[in-house]
Amino acid sequence: MRRVFLISVVVLLTWGSADAQFRRNRTSPSPSAPSTLEEQTSNYANPVEYTIGGIEVTGLNVLDKNAIVSLTGLRVGDKIKIPGDATANALRKLWKMGLVGDAALVIDRLEGDQIFLQLRLAERPRLSDFYFTGIPKGKQSSLKEDINLIRGKIVNDAMIRNTELSVRKFFLKKGFLNTQVKIYQEVDTISRGNVRLRIDVNPMSKVKINRVWIEGNQEVSDSKLKSQLKKTKEHPRFTLHRALLNGALHFKPRYVREYFDSTRQTSWQEVKQFFGQYVKLNVFASSKFIRADFDEDKQKMISYYNSLGYRDADVLFDTLYNVDDSHIDVVMQVNEGRKYYFRNITWTGNYIHSTATLNKILDIQKGDVYNRDLLDKKTSFNPKGADISGLYMDDGYLFFRVTPFEIAVEGDSIDIEMRIFEGDQATIDKVIISGNDRTSDHVIRRELSTIPGQKFRRSDIIRTQQMLSSMGYFNPQKIGQDIRPNPANGTVDIEWKLEEQSNDQIQLSGGWGGAFGFVGTVGVTFNNFSMRKVPYLKQWRPLPVGDGQRLSIQAQANGRSFQSYSLSFTEPWLGGRKPNSLTLSFNHSISRFADQNFEFTSNRQLKNYGVTVGLGRRLEWPDNYFSLNNSLSYLIYDYANYFNTPSLPQVGVTNSLMFNTTLARNSIDNPMYPSSGSQISLSLSLTPPWSLWRSEEELQDVNTRYKWIEMHKWMFDARFYIKLAGSSKPEGRSLVLETRAHMGFVGQYNPAVGYGPFERFVMGGAGLAGGFNSFVLGQEIIGLRGYEDNQVTPPLYANRGQPSNEIEGGIVYNKYSMELRYPVTTSQAATIYTFLFTEGGNNWNNYQEFNPFKLYRSAGAGVRIFMPAFGLIGLNWAYGFDTLPNSFQKSGTQFHFTIGQQIR
């Protein structure tokens, strides 16, 4: 009994001591430390095996109890050893998931060989909301998108750290290098277990570049190197160039820094005197420092060095010096290296084209400055001329490749070996079209120059890209091609990736017509219409579209004073086999003048009825940018007391049967914002020589002389586009110069008939048939900004509309114009660009006074907006420099509003 008693006492004391010790230590272990339970229970040398009788979880707010138990890997009924790995691994798994901030596993009780465990957790808080302090609301909205904080996610140290980095990175991109960010967690009193993050931001001052110092450059001047730093500019107060004192002494940047450190307040005269050089103003340059832009500029500077022959040039290091809290100096140490030259260029692997042919295209001579970038352009793709790849790929050699190797470098000379792999000619196998949700496949395929079964040609890829852009159905910036060569069978698959854009237009506009009052216009143009789908309502999206046809309906009215209605339909591929277009158009217009009581009656009016049938086709010669269009129109002019000229009949009807032929070439890259290419057209309009079949009495009688219009009219229009600066990417912004020239001449068959009252030139203003006394019918309207609508029109000019002995309107005109354009946006939703312009033009009613250099000049600025739903809208401010006849002052300031694409 004594032995049994002693054993019982020892067991109870041992258990009580272990249990008490375990319960005293309830702090959570680190992920790498063993569990509290294992530390506080049995001897590690003699673990005890138990069966889990139950697991209780405490401290949860959001998490599910069963899910947490499942994550530990412990299950009721499992056998575990105390101490052992099972309990330690259970806590490690919970820590690894990152769901809890504190965890402890303790023994709730023991019943025989069963152990009941209690898992005590402190659940991590979740994010309910976040807000910023220290920055304006405008920046908060864009910043929220960048930091990507998701409500409901667990808040941990990683989230806090990543948020701080994201905020700093956001302001770093904008030039705030010293931004301070602090994040505080606030308990959400409404939602249990959640917190709100208060993000305190102090952007500090935007850091700008005070000076850029370049050291180590001996052969290339500072000014030339700094000109390559497009986004790393010095402070706009002035840019100091590296100077030579007395033609010998170079200034060293460290001396300059010491000088300015000692003289913080430096006058302009002191600066000039110190440098012995001029100071160059640079008012518009942005001087903020952005690391990504700086790294890009360094690479541009090295590329510039390489283009000069310094192939080993490099930036050894760069350093930033704080001038004050908001300014830094940027110092770069460059190593120019030796200047190299081309020596011997040899070709290997060329069997199809001779070495002489390849050398002629490469056009690099022995002794030329070594320029690897030029070499790559001449071998792969040269946007300004021919290249080796184009020579082969335009003949089907898609698998062709040429690799230049430097085989010898001796002194300052480099020998190049051009290693060519010609391969086999590739044939186009499959042409795939994707992304055309509205436009039918056959409409796209008929525009493709890449046709299955034909040889692959790179020029066909370029031409197809231009054709798809000019259709107007797809976003030009998103048109792409995926060329998939199949060397095994000598074929290639081409996928054209498109993105549809709506180019249908609804025109709803109104304007003030001076004495005529309000003028309203309503019209709709469907540029991708489908006549064959009209009966099938299920194929409307939401209208019958997809076949590339054009349907236009328009009405313009001003009560009884002016009305105009037109309807036109164009089938661009008549018959579906060749690009021969058919156009049918009908129009009816009426213009009435007010009487003495200012009432618009039929006593003084002009009515016009017309129908036109046109046929057009594309030409393959001289190249496939040419087109030829022919049309035949019949018009009736019915007038009563309309003309203010005694030599014209007061009441009568004039008929016009006219044939027109137009030869045009269009090679622009984008119809909405062209940056390259040209548009040139020559048009001739002819009527039959009716006077040959009419009697002398009819020709002498003023009432019958103009029964039929008799004339020939020549029109020449040219537009050229040159990209002056900007991105080479399609979606990039480019500064573009547009130059234009327009000329028109009206000729007569019979001097006895002379020039009739119709089809003459009316010039001035926006080039629209609107405004006071300018609802013009039967005339060719020519715009000339800076002057009032239609006022550059002989014989009366500024007094136009008053009685005259001469017929109103010109028979010869010319106009020249230049526009410097820069886009605000060229997105699918809208194309907006601003421009500066200067133009000049004149209009004559006889050839004796014609002088193409005597022009009425103007200049100004404006903006144009193109939206697919509403078309092109323009607003122009112009200043006319000259005084029109019958006027006593310069035309001066004029505002012009335009609708639609102005042809002339």
Side-chain angles (χ1 to χ4, degrees):
M1 290 296 294
R2 181 180 301 174
R3 184 179 302 170
V4 172
F5 176 77
L6 290 174
I7 292 173
S8 301
V9 169
V10 171
V11 170
L12 289 173
L13 289 174
T14 301
W15 166 251
S17 175
D19 182 67
Q21 180 67 18
F22 173 77
R23 293 177 181 277
R24 278 196 303 271
N25 190 356
R26 295 184 179 179
T27 59
S28 63
S30 67
S32 60
S35 67
T36 302
L37 183 147
E38 291 171 330
E39 283 184 334
Q40 307 303 327
T41 54
S42 303
N43 189 346
Y44 280 92
N46 299 301
V48 180
E49 186 174 82
Y50 295 98
T51 300
I52 299 177
I55 302 175
E56 183 66 26
V57 182
T58 62
L60 295 182
N61 295 319
V62 179
L63 298 174
D64 180 71
K65 169 186 172 182
N66 295 327
I68 291 295
V69 173
S70 177
L71 289 175
T72 64
L74 301 176
R75 292 181 299 178
V76 175
D78 287 353
K79 295 185 179 297
I80 61 172
K81 292 183 178 181
I82 303 296
D85 293 336
T87 54
N89 289 337
L91 291 180
R92 286 194 183 98
K93 290 177 181 178
L94 290 178
W95 277 101
K96 187 176 181 180
M97 296 301 295
L99 299 175
V100 295
D102 197 6
L105 185 63
V106 300
I107 298 175
D108 186 43
R109 65 184 186 278
L110 291 172
E111 295 181 2
D113 64 346
Q114 288 190 331
I115 186 170
F116 293 85
L117 302 175
Q118 187 179 90
L119 189 58
R120 298 177 179 177
L121 304 176
E123 189 175 334
R124 287 189 184 275
R126 293 179 179 269
L127 179 65
S128 63
D129 196 8
F130 62 94
Y131 64 99
F132 299 94
T133 62
I135 56 175
K137 292 184 178 180
K139 290 185 178 179
Q140 292 183 21
S141 58
S142 54
L143 181 56
K144 287 180 180 179
E145 298 176 359
D146 275 21
I147 62 176
N148 196 28
L149 281 176
I150 302 175
R151 292 172 175 81
K153 290 194 69 174
I154 293 173
V155 178
N156 52 30
D157 294 340
M159 173 187 282
I160 300 297
R161 184 169 54 255
N162 290 337
T163 302
E164 288 181 356
L165 291 175
S166 297
V167 174
R168 287 196 181 98
K169 185 177 179 181
F170 174 85
F171 284 96
L172 192 65
K173 293 178 181 178
K174 300 181 180 298
F176 296 91
L177 273 62
N178 301 320
T179 302
Q180 297 178 357
V181 183
K182 293 182 179 180
I183 301 179
Y184 300 94
Q185 299 184 35
E186 299 177 346
V187 177
D188 192 336
T189 57
I190 299 176
S191 181
R192 181 184 176 187
N194 289 351
V195 297
R196 302 169 70 232
L197 294 183
R198 189 186 82 212
I199 307 174
D200 292 348
V201 182
N202 183 6
M204 307 293 286
S205 298
K206 183 177 289 188
V207 175
K208 296 185 177 181
I209 301 170
N210 186 55
R211 299 287 182 272
V212 175
W213 307 107
I214 303 176
E215 299 179 344
N217 55 315
Q218 301 296 325
E219 302 299 329
V220 185
S221 66
D222 280 9
S223 59
K224 290 183 178 179
L225 294 179
K226 290 179 182 180
S227 67
Q228 304 303 313
L229 307 178
K230 304 300 183 183
K231 300 179 181 178
T232 306
K233 298 293 184 181
E234 295 178 326
H235 196 282
R237 286 177 299 178
F238 52 87
T239 303
L240 298 173
H241 290 260
R242 179 179 293 271
L244 289 174
L245 285 181
N246 300 324
L249 179 62
H250 284 278
F251 273 112
K252 297 300 180 182
R254 66 174 182 271
Y255 300 148
V256 177
R257 287 199 298 274
E258 291 172 0
Y259 177 83
F260 279 107
D261 286 342
S262 62
T263 56
R264 287 296 182 185
Q265 303 297 327
T266 306
S267 68
W268 281 98
Q269 294 300 324
E270 289 173 320
V271 172
K272 292 179 184 179
Q273 182 179 1
F274 176 76
F275 279 91
Q277 188 70 326
Y278 61 89
V279 178
K280 179 182 178 182
L281 290 175
N282 193 8
V283 178
F284 299 103
S286 174
S287 62
K288 64 182 179 182
F289 180 83
I290 299 176
R291 169 58 69 173
D293 293 341
F294 176 55
D295 292 339
E296 182 181 338
D297 280 346
K298 285 193 299 181
Q299 188 56 48
K300 289 180 180 178
M301 187 175 69
I302 295 303
S303 296
Y304 176 68
Y305 259 121
N306 296 157
S307 69
L308 300 177
Y310 299 94
R311 86 193 240 281
D312 301 328
D314 192 18
V315 177
L316 299 179
F317 63 85
D318 60 79
T319 307
L320 305 181
Y321 290 96
N322 289 325
V323 177
D324 51 43
D325 291 341
S326 59
H327 292 87
I328 60 172
D329 280 355
V330 179
V331 179
M332 289 182 285
Q333 179 73 40
V334 301
N335 175 31
E336 292 180 329
R338 170 176 280 179
K339 188 172 184 176
Y340 291 91
Y341 301 87
F342 287 106
R343 190 168 65 178
N344 299 318
I345 299 178
T346 57
W347 301 83
T348 62
N350 56 308
Y351 303 103
I352 298 169
H353 297 288
S354 65
T355 298
T357 301
L358 299 178
N359 281 332
K360 184 177 180 180
I361 295 176
L362 188 65
D363 195 25
I364 295 177
Q365 308 300 324
K366 184 176 181 178
D368 287 354
V369 172
Y370 183 81
N371 186 344
R372 187 57 185 252
D373 182 57
L374 176 63
L375 186 64
D376 291 339
K377 286 181 179 179
K378 290 294 187 72
T379 55
S380 57
F381 182 73
N382 181 16
K384 297 183 179 180
D387 56 77
I388 304 299
S389 292
L391 178 67
Y392 277 90
M393 288 191 177
D394 277 346
D395 196 22
Y397 291 93
L398 173 63
F399 311 112
F400 160 86
R401 62 178 178 271
V402 56
T403 307
F405 283 93
E406 297 179 359
I407 59 174
V409 179
E410 297 181 2
D412 62 354
S413 300
I414 298 177
D415 291 342
I416 302 293
E417 183 178 87
M418 311 292 287
R419 299 176 185 175
I420 291 179
F421 172 76
E422 294 177 331
D424 297 326
Q425 288 179 312
T427 303
I428 299 175
D429 185 16
K430 298 178 182 178
V431 177
I432 306 164
I433 300 171
S434 61
N436 54 317
D437 302 325
R438 301 171 74 241
T439 306
S440 302
D441 275 7
H442 74 274
V443 175
I444 301 171
R445 290 190 182 277
R446 67 194 186 190
E447 302 290 344
L448 302 182
S449 298
T450 53
I451 301 173
Q454 290 187 352
K455 284 192 306 184
F456 175 87
R457 295 199 306 170
R458 190 177 72 176
S459 58
D460 289 340
I461 297 290
I462 298 172
R463 176 59 174 158
T464 299
Q465 182 103 12
Q466 292 175 334
M467 291 301 298
L468 293 176
S469 297
S470 64
M471 291 175 71
Y473 309 149
F474 312 107
N475 184 356
Q477 302 171 6
K478 300 295 183 180
I479 297 175
Q481 68 276 345
D482 183 9
I483 300 174
R484 307 168 189 168
N486 304 310
N489 57 8
T491 62
V492 58
D493 296 337
I494 303 174
E495 180 182 0
W496 288 100
K497 298 180 179 180
L498 310 173
E499 182 180 294
E500 293 268 11
Q501 68 177 12
S502 175
N503 65 338
D504 297 332
Q505 299 172 10
I506 300 175
Q507 185 176 344
L508 297 171
S509 62
W512 185 256
F516 292 89
F518 182 81
V519 182
T521 301
V522 58
V524 60
T525 301
F526 304 108
N527 289 301
N528 194 6
F529 193 71
S530 176
M531 187 65 73
R532 65 179 178 87
K533 293 181 181 179
V534 171
Y536 307 101
L537 296 179
K538 292 183 179 180
Q539 298 186 29
W540 290 31
R541 304 176 184 174
L543 295 170
V545 298
D547 283 349
Q549 298 165 342
R550 187 175 188 270
L551 177 65
S552 178
I553 304 172
Q554 189 177 59
Q556 186 179 31
N558 175 243
R560 288 184 54 82
S561 65
F562 179 80
Q563 298 170 22
S564 178
Y565 309 94
S566 63
L567 169 68
S568 68
F569 174 79
T570 301
E571 168 54 70
W573 282 69
L574 183 63
R577 293 182 177 272
K578 293 183 178 180
N580 299 327
S581 63
L582 170 67
T583 300
L584 299 173
S585 64
F586 307 90
N587 65 81
H588 168 58
S589 302
I590 182 170
S591 177
R592 297 185 178 93
F593 284 88
D595 58 16
Q596 295 179 349
N597 297 322
F598 207 75
E599 293 182 0
F600 296 95
T601 66
S602 300
N603 294 330
R604 191 182 179 193
Q605 67 176 14
L606 171 63
K607 291 183 179 180
N608 168 256
Y609 308 88
V611 57
T612 302
V613 179
L615 289 173
R617 63 190 181 96
R618 298 179 194 163
L619 304 179
E620 296 297 328
W621 186 89
D623 59 38
N624 54 12
Y625 292 108
F626 278 85
S627 63
L628 180 65
N629 293 277
N630 301 305
S631 65
L632 183 65
S633 61
Y634 177 66
L635 294 89
I636 300 175
Y637 298 98
D638 185 355
Y639 48 88
N641 302 310
Y642 185 77
F643 302 108
N644 286 328
T645 305
S647 60
L648 294 177
Q650 296 304 305
V651 178
V653 174
T654 297
N655 300 273
S656 173
L657 180 64
M658 187 174 296
F659 172 77
N660 173 272
T661 182
T662 301
L663 179 65
R665 187 181 187 274
N666 186 347
S667 62
I668 62 173
D669 58 346
N670 186 333
M672 290 301 102
Y673 187 77
S675 60
S676 64
S678 61
Q679 291 177 303
I680 304 172
S681 68
L682 177 62
S683 172
L684 171 61
S685 299
L686 299 166
T687 68
W690 301 109
S691 60
L692 294 179
W693 306 295
R694 300 176 66 189
S695 65
E696 190 69 24
E697 290 77 10
E698 287 183 295
L699 299 180
Q700 294 297 327
D701 188 350
V702 68
N703 293 314
T704 58
R705 180 186 306 164
Y706 301 112
K707 182 178 181 181
W708 288 93
I709 292 179
E710 181 178 296
M711 55 161 283
H712 56 91
K713 181 162 70 172
W714 304 74
M715 304 290 287
F716 175 78
D717 302 285
R719 297 170 182 256
F720 298 91
Y721 300 92
I722 302 173
K723 181 189 294 186
L724 300 180
S727 173
S728 60
K729 299 179 180 179
E731 65 273 14
R733 297 180 181 179
S734 302
L735 182 67
V736 175
L737 176 66
E738 180 204 53
T739 57
R740 290 187 287 155
H742 307 279
M743 302 176 187
F745 307 90
V746 175
Q748 59 185 2
Y749 296 128
N750 190 340
V753 178
Y755 303 99
F758 299 105
E759 300 296 336
R760 288 178 172 243
F761 303 119
V762 175
M763 177 180 282
L768 298 176
F772 175 70
N773 199 22
S774 61
F775 290 112
V776 181
L777 297 178
Q779 308 288 13
E780 195 80 46
I781 301 176
I782 312 297
L784 185 64
R785 291 166 290 186
Y787 299 88
E788 293 187 21
D789 287 342
N790 308 328
Q791 296 297 295
V792 189
T793 303
L796 298 180
Y797 294 93
N799 291 336
R800 181 177 177 267
Q802 300 299 319
S804 172
N805 292 326
E806 298 182 66
I807 299 176
E808 186 178 73
I811 60 173
V812 55
Y813 90 95
N814 66 290
K815 172 184 170 182
Y816 311 102
S817 176
M818 285 197 305
E819 281 191 1
L820 188 64
R821 300 175 173 181
Y822 189 76
V824 177
T825 177
T826 55
S827 66
Q828 182 178 354
T831 297
I832 304 173
Y833 62 89
T834 59
F835 57 87
L836 302 174
F837 74 88
T838 179
E839 64 185 17
N842 205 344
N843 191 9
W844 297 266
N845 61 356
N846 62 78
Y847 285 96
Q848 289 74 27
E849 297 179 3
F850 172 61
N851 183 352
F853 303 106
K854 183 181 179 181
L855 306 173
Y856 294 104
R857 303 159 299 164
S858 65
V863 60
R864 292 194 184 100
I865 303 172
F866 174 81
M867 292 181 288
F870 299 100
L872 187 63
I873 301 172
L875 181 63
N876 302 260
W877 172 86
Y879 185 88
F881 296 107
D882 298 304
T883 303
L884 292 176
N886 297 323
S887 178
F888 301 100
Q889 60 184 3
K890 294 180 179 179
S891 180
T893 295
Q894 303 285 336
F895 288 93
H896 305 290
F897 178 74
T898 61
I899 301 175
Q901 185 72 49
Q902 302 301 296
I903 300 176
R904 300 178 179 91

